[in-house]
Amino acid sequence: MLNPFWWRAASKENKLSIAKKVPGGMERMEKGEIIPEWEYITDGRLGWEYRQVLAGKLRPWCIESLQYPRANHTRPHIVYTMEDYRLIGCIDCMDDLHYINYLYIR
């Protein structure tokens, strides 16, 4: 069963929390304007994503890839990391294999 008093209190609490985070937010909501999420969600993973998008990075979870020259088994790609382990992948090491072989080195 729906409790209208609870929903009214929850709506008011939500408006007050938005008004604390957004300057002039209460006046904007009273005019009927909908405040977008990126203005008041500033913490957590979603807040980080919004800050990245506002900074101009449209896909924050995608890493820019480097262009490596074509390699073979005599000239492998060396990717430098700050970790103490490596994950090495080998694509088409042999002519009859059509899958990726992975090797985990610690």
Side-chain angles (χ1 to χ4, degrees), residues 6-92:
W6 184 86
W7 284 106
R8 184 183 301 154
S11 175
K12 188 173 185 180
E13 185 178 318
N14 186 30
K15 284 183 180 180
L16 290 174
S17 69
I18 291 174
K20 287 180 189 175
K21 295 179 180 179
V22 179
M26 188 61 83
E27 293 82 19
R28 289 169 58 188
M29 285 186 281
E30 286 173 357
K31 291 180 185 175
E33 184 178 343
I34 297 175
I35 309 288
E37 282 186 333
W38 56 264
E39 287 192 34
Y40 62 88
I41 296 181
T42 56
D43 52 346
R45 183 175 291 161
L46 188 60
W48 179 83
E49 287 179 9
Y50 284 138
R51 288 193 303 274
Q52 294 296 317
V53 171
L54 289 174
K57 195 172 184 183
L58 296 179
R59 296 184 299 169
W61 294 105
C62 294
I63 299 172
E64 297 290 332
S65 63
L66 298 172
Q67 291 294 328
Y68 290 107
R70 182 119 174 110
N72 57 22
H73 65 281
T74 60
R75 295 180 297 135
H77 295 306
I78 299 173
V79 180
Y80 297 100
T81 65
M82 308 260 314
E83 305 295 333
D84 61 344
Y85 60 88
R86 295 289 175 116
L87 181 66
I88 299 173
C90 183
I91 302 172
D92 283 336

